[in-house]
Amino acid sequence: MSMKRFMAFSLRPLLPGLLLLLSVPFSIQAAGDMEGLLPPVSCGGGWRIEGKPLFYDRETLSDRINGEAELYFPYGFDRLAAARYAAEKHPAAGMDVEIYRMGSPLDAFGMYANYRQKEGRALPLAAESNLSGSQLFLYQGRHFVHIQVTGSETADPAALAECARTVASRLPGTRNRPPELAAFDRSETVRGTERYLPQSLLGYDFLNRGIMTDAVVEGMDLQIFLLLDTSAESASAAFEGYRTQLARGKVEPVGNVAAFLEGVDPLYGPVIVMMKGNCIAGALKFSGKKGIRALLESVCRR
């Protein structure tokens, strides 16, 4: 028997199964192990699931959130599970639940911080949560969750919170915040303003990834940042790279292991950056210098 005839013969019994697989929508094939995260019947009292859940991966995410998908990829997006829950008393109203699996707990936090509303209200569920109007955002472990009421001019905050509790109870992972944020657990920083940038901190490729937060020092508002995953060598390269970007950049050594860099960033104005061993921390958008160096030193002692 020729090889061509052998291949045709051996594939014939598999064709019905292959055709069935190809006929299944790709979003269903993308389910992976995400299906069990969605409440199977209801998302709180009076909100029952409508239709079947939908699943998306990196290839199909834009089918769900066209125009926003690219925002998720730097944060290690892997899968999305989505379902709609209809209000039993008002069928036109729906509760859309989207559960995104990101690359790590820090990535999930990063997406949450991107969408968190300044005027939103924190709820005691998941690692962190934010309720604002008709939307609720939360994260836990690697999962970022967006819940939104649609088809109604008003949204019941209690119903959103109940649905969020139902979803959070099904998510793996702990309710702890990512350990990388611990460097900002201090009295000078403003809780709820932390952000994670997975690449090009401050818009500079040589600064790689890092975290930022608002802070108040000596009654003065400012922002501080911390680079992540730096070695002594990469920290030195980042420090020197940033020096070349600043106008009137001046380096002041502090002993044998630390140095401060002061200058004017073309985008952010005056900046102060500290390098100590493998730590790079900086401050910007300040109106005075008092207390800044001490704050940066405390961040690098984390």
Side-chain angles (χ1 to χ4, degrees):
M1 180 182 298
S2 69
M3 179 60 70
K4 186 179 297 185
R5 290 186 59 195
F6 173 75
M7 291 177 64
F9 176 79
S10 61
L11 286 175
R12 191 175 299 118
L14 301 178
L15 285 177
L18 290 173
L19 292 174
L20 177 62
L21 178 62
L22 292 174
S23 69
V24 177
F26 188 75
S27 62
I28 300 299
Q29 296 178 40
D33 55 355
M34 294 283 286
E35 190 167 8
L37 302 183
L38 290 165
V41 178
S42 63
C43 200
W47 296 85
R48 298 187 65 82
I49 195 166
E50 182 179 81
K52 294 183 178 180
L54 298 174
F55 303 93
Y56 304 83
D57 61 11
R58 291 178 65 89
E59 298 297 324
T60 57
L61 181 60
S62 60
D63 295 340
R64 177 78 182 190
I65 52 170
N66 188 26
E68 291 187 48
E70 295 297 325
L71 175 64
Y72 286 76
F73 297 149
Y75 294 88
F77 168 78
D78 176 39
R79 293 284 191 276
L80 163 62
R84 178 177 175 83
Y85 298 84
E88 294 178 337
K89 295 183 179 180
H90 306 283
M95 188 102 67
D96 291 323
V97 176
E98 297 176 333
I99 304 176
Y100 297 81
R101 187 168 65 199
M102 311 306 297
S104 70
L106 184 59
D107 288 309
F109 162 78
M111 288 308 307
Y112 167 80
N114 283 335
Y115 286 101
R116 172 186 56 203
Q117 301 296 303
K118 186 175 181 179
E119 71 279 4
R121 176 162 58 95
L123 300 177
L125 54 89
E128 291 184 82
S129 61
N130 181 274
L131 172 62
S132 177
S134 62
Q135 300 185 89
L136 191 151
F137 304 97
L138 64 86
Y139 75 95
Q140 181 170 301
R142 290 176 57 191
H143 295 90
F144 163 64
V145 179
H146 176 209
I147 303 174
Q148 181 172 13
V149 173
T150 59
S152 174
E153 295 182 358
T154 60
D156 180 4
L160 271 167
E162 185 178 2
C163 180
R165 278 191 292 270
T166 302
V167 172
S169 68
R170 304 177 68 87
L171 296 178
T174 71
R175 292 179 60 176
N176 298 328
R177 300 206 315 160
E180 292 89 345
L181 300 180
F184 290 163
D185 288 343
R186 55 191 70 251
S187 60
E188 298 93 342
T189 57
V190 181
R191 184 68 176 259
T193 63
E194 306 94 334
R195 288 144 349 255
Y196 166 56
L197 294 307
Q199 57 190 17
S200 303
L201 186 67
L202 303 183
Y204 297 113
D205 291 342
F206 56 81
L207 291 183
N208 200 7
R209 69 188 192 116
I211 50 179
M212 300 184 67
T213 188
D214 294 349
V216 179
V217 178
E218 301 288 342
M220 173 184 61
D221 295 334
L222 69 155
Q223 292 182 346
I224 60 174
F225 64 85
L226 175 68
L227 286 187
L228 299 176
D229 297 337
T230 50
S231 63
E233 182 179 358
S234 64
S236 180
F239 191 78
E240 177 60 21
Y242 197 28
R243 186 194 64 77
T244 65
Q245 300 295 317
L246 302 182
R248 301 191 298 276
K250 180 181 178 181
V251 176
E252 179 184 335
V254 180
N256 297 322
V257 295
F260 282 100
L261 167 65
E262 295 192 20
V264 179
D265 186 293
L267 297 177
Y268 301 99
V271 296
I272 299 176
V273 180
M274 180 184 189
M275 177 179 67
K276 186 175 183 180
N278 67 340
C279 178
I280 293 281
L284 55 142
K285 297 187 177 179
F286 50 79
S287 57
K289 299 180 181 179
K290 187 177 181 180
I292 291 180
R293 288 194 174 194
L295 174 58
L296 297 181
E297 286 184 292
S298 68
V299 169
C300 279
R301 286 197 302 265
R302 70 194 190 282

